Amino acid sequence: MHGRRSPSFELALVLSVLLAVAGAVVHAQGVVDPATSPPPPPQHRRSIGLVLSGGGARGGAHIGVLKALEELHVPVDYLAGTSIGAVIGGFYASGMTVPEMEKLVESLEWDRAFLNFTPRQAKSYRRKRDDDLFLVDQKPGLVGREFRLPVGLVQGQVIDTILSRETLRASEVEDFDQLLIPFRAVAGDLATGDAVILKSGSLARSLRASMSIPAALAPIEIDGRLLVDGGIAMNMPVDVARQMGADVVIAVDISSTLLTRATLRSVLDVTAQLTNLLTRAGNEDQRKKLHGDDILVRPEFGEDLSSVTFARMGESIQAGYDAVMAHRAQFEVLALSATAYDAFLAARKDPRMRELPIIDFVRLANKGPIADSIVQTRLDDIHVGQPLDVDAVERAMDKVYGLEYYQNVRYGLVKDSTLTGLEFELDKRSWGPNYLQLGMEFSSAGKGDALFGLAASYLRTAINDRGGEFRTTFVIGDEPALTTDLYQPLGPKGLFFLAPELDIASTQYNVFRGDDRLLAAQKRQALLELAVGRELPSWGEYRFGIREASGNYELRVGDPAYMPDKNFRVGQFFGRFAVDTMDSVSFPRLGSLASVEWRGSRRGPLSADTDFDQVLISAAHAKTWGRHTILTSLRYDATVSGTAPVDSLFQMGGFFDLSGINRNELAGQYAVRLGAAYYRRIGNLALFPAFAGFTVEVGNVWQTRGDISLRRSIVGGSFWGGVSTPVGPVYVGYGRAEGGLDAFYIALGRVF
């Protein structure tokens, strides 16, 4: 079950910020106008208001409390909640049952829910190509000379999607008094610190605002106010339930208890203690508002079940249930008979849709820089005139969000006369659309075969409403380079594109005999490429074009007899079809990666040194079972006509590419390799996801097609461990190949 997976690094960042900032509490200033409070229950009994506090991953206890109240036949007339309390309360008020909430908490992939970046499979194919560079994923915005960072470590797109799906049943209700139970969500105004009581509008958006931990989750704008987690203003909103009309208040406090002297061992412990003290002070203020027959419920949690252990949220459900049942006598005073309780349930307004509506139209509230027609192309999964397909809507949302022009993409049902439609709200990013990225690459085979590089890249997106962009990347180190490319979508849908590129690079060229390096030279080349093509949104593209290049070789050390011709020219026509559905290129666990390319070198029209044709085929597929992953790969490169010169030979060798052999040690007219890797998620290393596994590779290079055979292949393999870090994947391994060749590897940057 996915709910027990360890949190990702991005979740760890969110949780660290939670400890540092979530507890600032000030007195509430925004309250509900009694004149607009929901109507009271029948006069023959006292009305009951349930108050659910914030408390992060301990919020499962609220589900346990609701379960116990139902079993005891205690009616709930009003519901008010803050942060996770608002989420649980909002789900319940919208018609979600306790068993449904239990199932949801156990099934959610919490590390996915708190992702800090766009899930890779949702990205456009163009954005996936950013992974071909050894650059850090994080891209601070650059506006003029000013750097801009996101307003939250997590933009909350995945969380928004979950909230929209789970409140869809009541999405046509705008007045929260018309929900199954009259409901209020408490958020905080980031500008003033005031409590903001949300009682109408989009339920999903209100819940998202109430749980937007400052600096961790991006704030939400509602009615011109920038809203964050209600914990900064009123973590346990007793006042709100009272002013809604509750005669008796049941308040559930799941805030963290104070750490003991013995447990204050680190800076994080001290920060957590300060947060607890502030939250406790705010809760005490609201506790003083409890009186008479009001009931305070404080579930007891294990020491290791904190507000940040979201993967164990399901365990807290029992704590809430037990807290009520341990004092059931207090609650039985408020309970109804079975007949009266059934009548109470039957009399409640049911806001749930009886069936999914027919979608008559789709419209956009596009606040970003890209034309509506570009966005609408990504909405093709939605069929007008058909019943609402939530899965199709979410796939479409992913495609739009994967363009990486928008901070958040949300949807909702809207009415236009007698028609029902879908409205997508696209929030412009608060940083960008220009970005700066840095990167670092390092590899060492323990034989003096080392490579080091530092990179800086400037990416300017949305240079026009079709989504044109250009990128310039500088690399310094053992293989310095300068690359500038333009990507200009064409037509109203922006699927066809024009893509010129200039690449100036200096790479290492070595000649080996076994472990002995006979020659070390530097290959310098300037290449100009012009391509046209078509994107297949989110999963692939095909392109055609020409390449022109000139370069030379410069001897560094070794025997000049092994030097190729000093100068060379390249002139090629090419065509390529590529597919990419991988969830990661560092440690892929799901998806496929494949490409087929033809290169035709011609002396006449393109001034190449020689005529030849080549075909390059590659494919990889990842499949995961629990923590176990198998990645299979194929490489087949062939010179199908003519003879390719040295600068166009296929190279092989290195970590995961016949491990144990020096990097690019082998070169030939043909290159074939089959590979398989097994690896397992072994946990976290210093909060970063860690993996360990092994590979087996079979392949070689050949000079003629007739030479290709399994008997003339080389078998290699490796044992390795890897960690996904903020600056890229880090691998450490040992490889060995036939003939006694072996090497120890350290690598920073993509190797699969």
Side-chain angles (χ1 to χ4, degrees):
M1 188 169 289
H2 297 300
R4 299 185 180 273
R5 290 170 53 189
S6 299
S8 66
F9 170 65
E10 289 74 18
L11 176 57
L13 286 177
V14 172
L15 302 181
S16 297
V17 175
L18 168 66
L19 291 175
V21 302
V25 179
V26 299
H27 292 299
Q29 299 179 29
V31 295
V32 179
D33 181 357
T36 62
S37 296
Q43 294 300 312
H44 62 271
R45 69 171 178 85
R46 293 175 295 173
S47 60
I48 299 172
L50 179 62
V51 173
L52 306 179
S53 80
R58 294 181 170 199
H62 293 321
I63 302 174
V65 169
L66 290 167
K67 181 178 182 180
L69 294 179
E70 287 185 350
E71 290 184 9
L72 296 176
H73 294 167
V74 176
V76 176
D77 301 294
Y78 309 109
L79 237 174
T82 297
S83 193
I84 191 65
V87 173
I88 299 300
F91 283 176
Y92 193 65
S94 71
M96 181 181 283
T97 65
V98 167
E100 288 171 340
M101 284 192 283
E102 289 178 313
K103 182 178 179 181
L104 176 66
V105 166
E106 291 288 351
S107 63
L108 273 181
E109 298 181 51
W110 289 100
D111 43 356
R112 179 178 180 269
F114 285 97
L115 283 175
N116 183 40
F117 52 86
T118 310
R120 189 174 187 276
Q121 290 175 307
K123 291 183 179 181
S124 66
Y125 187 82
R126 171 65 176 175
R127 289 281 68 84
K128 289 178 182 179
R129 300 285 55 81
D130 294 347
D131 296 332
D132 297 338
L133 308 171
F134 55 94
L135 297 171
V136 178
D137 285 336
Q138 304 306 317
K139 297 193 285 272
L142 187 61
V143 180
R145 297 182 179 180
E146 176 188 354
F147 283 102
R148 290 188 184 177
L149 298 175
V151 291
L153 289 173
V154 174
Q155 303 314 306
Q157 178 64 26
V158 178
I159 294 174
D160 282 348
T161 301
I162 294 170
L163 294 176
S164 295
R165 174 183 279 265
E166 302 306 332
T167 59
L168 179 66
R169 64 182 64 79
S171 60
E172 294 181 327
V173 176
E174 291 193 359
D175 181 353
F176 297 169
D177 287 342
Q178 303 304 312
L179 293 170
L180 194 69
I181 302 171
F183 172 71
R184 301 290 185 267
V186 180
D189 188 321
L190 186 59
T192 66
D194 295 348
V196 178
I197 313 304
L198 301 171
K199 56 185 178 181
S200 62
S202 165
L203 179 60
R205 193 166 175 81
S206 297
L207 301 184
R208 172 68 170 79
S210 183
M211 67 176 294
S212 297
I213 303 165
L217 279 171
I220 298 296
E221 183 177 344
I222 296 179
D223 295 334
R225 307 178 81 170
L226 204 58
L227 303 184
V228 294
D229 194 299
I232 74 164
M234 189 187 290
N235 195 51
M236 191 170 66
V238 173
D239 274 343
V240 175
R242 190 84 67 197
Q243 295 178 23
M244 289 176 75
D247 298 317
V248 178
V249 171
I250 300 173
V252 185
D253 182 6
I254 60 169
S255 58
S256 299
T257 56
L258 296 177
L259 300 175
T260 65
R261 172 65 182 85
T263 57
L264 292 170
R265 305 188 190 96
S266 69
V267 172
L268 284 179
D269 293 334
V270 173
T271 304
Q273 186 76 331
L274 291 173
T275 300
N276 294 341
L277 287 168
L278 290 170
T279 303
R280 186 184 188 188
N283 284 350
E284 286 293 338
D285 180 68
Q286 287 295 302
R287 280 189 198 180
K288 294 176 182 178
K289 308 294 178 68
L290 298 172
H291 52 72
D293 294 329
D294 294 341
I295 302 174
L296 176 65
V297 181
R298 281 193 58 83
E300 295 184 3
F301 304 96
E303 292 184 1
D304 58 343
L305 191 60
S306 71
S307 60
V308 299
T309 52
F310 282 92
R312 299 177 57 194
M313 188 173 177
E315 298 177 30
S316 65
I317 295 176
Q318 190 65 39
Y321 181 86
D322 292 343
V324 172
M325 289 305 189
H327 302 89
R328 62 185 299 163
Q330 290 179 273
F331 294 93
E332 287 174 342
V333 173
L334 304 173
L336 302 177
S337 67
T339 301
Y341 188 69
D342 289 342
F344 163 76
L345 296 179
R348 293 193 301 188
K349 300 172 183 176
D350 190 349
R352 293 172 292 184
M353 292 185 293
R354 294 295 177 267
E355 58 185 16
L356 293 174
I358 301 295
I359 299 303
D360 299 305
F361 62 90
V362 176
R363 70 186 185 200
L364 302 176
N366 185 1
K367 303 174 186 177
I370 303 303
D372 286 356
S373 60
I374 304 295
V375 176
Q376 288 165 348
T377 302
R378 272 73 184 175
L379 305 180
D380 288 344
D381 288 338
I382 301 172
H383 300 293
V384 173
Q386 299 294 323
L388 173 65
D389 183 337
V390 178
D391 291 334
V393 171
E394 292 181 359
R395 286 196 302 270
M397 288 175 59
D398 284 345
K399 290 180 181 179
V400 175
Y401 190 65
L403 292 169
E404 296 197 358
Y405 295 122
Y406 301 102
Q407 185 164 307
N408 291 104
V409 177
R410 304 182 184 88
Y411 76 95
L413 292 174
V414 292
K415 288 285 189 179
D416 187 352
S417 185
T418 60
L419 303 179
T420 299
L422 277 171
E423 181 175 72
F424 288 87
E425 185 174 0
L426 314 178
D427 293 340
K428 181 182 178 181
R429 282 192 169 190
S430 60
W431 74 106
N434 308 323
Y435 306 95
L436 179 67
Q437 280 181 280
L438 302 176
M440 181 170 65
E441 179 183 36
F442 174 77
S443 65
S444 173
K447 301 176 180 179
D449 182 20
L451 179 67
F452 174 78
L454 294 174
S457 180
Y458 172 71
L459 173 63
R460 182 169 183 176
T461 67
I463 59 178
N464 50 52
D465 66 359
R466 291 293 179 265
E469 64 180 55
F470 72 84
R471 180 195 288 275
T472 297
T473 303
F474 297 90
V475 180
I476 59 173
D478 294 318
E479 295 189 337
L482 166 64
T483 302
T484 297
D485 69 283
L486 172 70
Y487 183 84
Q488 178 56 61
L490 306 173
K493 295 183 177 181
L495 295 179
F496 293 93
F497 61 83
L498 174 69
E501 177 179 335
L502 173 65
D503 184 21
I504 302 173
S506 177
T507 57
Q508 297 179 0
Y509 175 78
N510 300 302
V511 177
F512 290 93
R513 179 181 295 160
D515 281 346
D516 297 327
R517 190 194 308 263
L518 303 180
L519 175 79
Q522 205 74 13
K523 175 185 175 183
R524 296 184 174 88
Q525 175 180 280
L527 180 145
L528 179 63
E529 177 179 301
L530 179 62
V532 295
R534 187 185 191 278
E535 181 186 1
L536 307 169
S538 298
W539 63 271
E541 72 164 27
Y542 55 82
R543 65 170 63 197
F544 305 91
I546 58 174
R547 299 186 182 109
E548 287 271 13
S550 62
N552 62 74
Y553 291 90
E554 180 178 320
L555 178 66
R556 293 172 57 195
V557 294
D559 188 346
Y562 293 96
M563 277 285 289
D565 293 340
K566 183 176 181 180
N567 299 309
F568 64 89
R569 289 190 61 84
V570 175
Q572 297 177 352
F573 297 103
F574 73 93
R576 181 170 67 243
F577 173 69
V579 172
D580 185 352
T581 62
M582 283 285 191
D583 64 336
S584 168
V585 294
S586 300
F587 301 97
R589 307 194 72 205
L590 181 68
S592 300
L593 188 68
S595 70
V596 178
E597 180 174 341
W598 162 77
R599 298 174 180 173
S601 176
R602 298 294 182 266
R603 284 179 292 189
L606 298 179
S607 302
D609 289 334
T610 184
D611 292 344
F612 63 90
D613 290 274
Q614 294 179 324
V615 174
L616 298 81
I617 301 173
S618 65
H621 179 72
K623 179 70 174 178
T624 294
W625 298 265
R627 290 176 172 263
H628 307 274
T629 300
I630 293 179
L631 176 69
T632 54
S633 62
L634 163 70
R635 175 186 174 188
Y636 178 83
D637 301 333
T639 305
V640 294
S641 70
T643 301
V646 171
D647 59 272
S648 295
L649 292 178
F650 303 115
Q651 295 181 298
M652 184 178 292
F655 199 22
F656 294 2
D657 194 28
L658 293 186
S659 301
I661 295 177
N662 291 293
R663 181 173 59 93
N664 293 335
E665 175 179 337
L666 308 176
Q669 302 288 334
Y670 294 82
V672 182
R673 175 181 51 74
L674 293 173
Y678 163 82
Y679 44 98
R680 184 180 188 274
R681 171 75 183 273
I682 59 176
N684 290 344
L685 180 63
L687 302 180
F688 306 140
F691 302 82
F694 63 87
T695 66
V696 177
E697 306 120 34
V698 180
N700 205 344
V701 300
W702 294 271
Q703 302 309 316
T704 67
R705 183 176 180 181
D707 292 336
I708 301 174
S709 68
L710 185 61
R711 182 174 59 84
R712 296 181 180 181
S713 297
I714 300 171
V715 177
S718 67
F719 293 94
W720 59 273
V723 181
S724 181
T725 77
V727 295
V730 177
Y731 307 87
V732 177
Y734 169 76
R736 188 173 182 86
E738 283 187 274
L741 300 175
D742 65 350
F744 288 95
Y745 297 99
I746 300 175
L748 170 62
R750 176 181 174 183
V751 297
F752 282 109

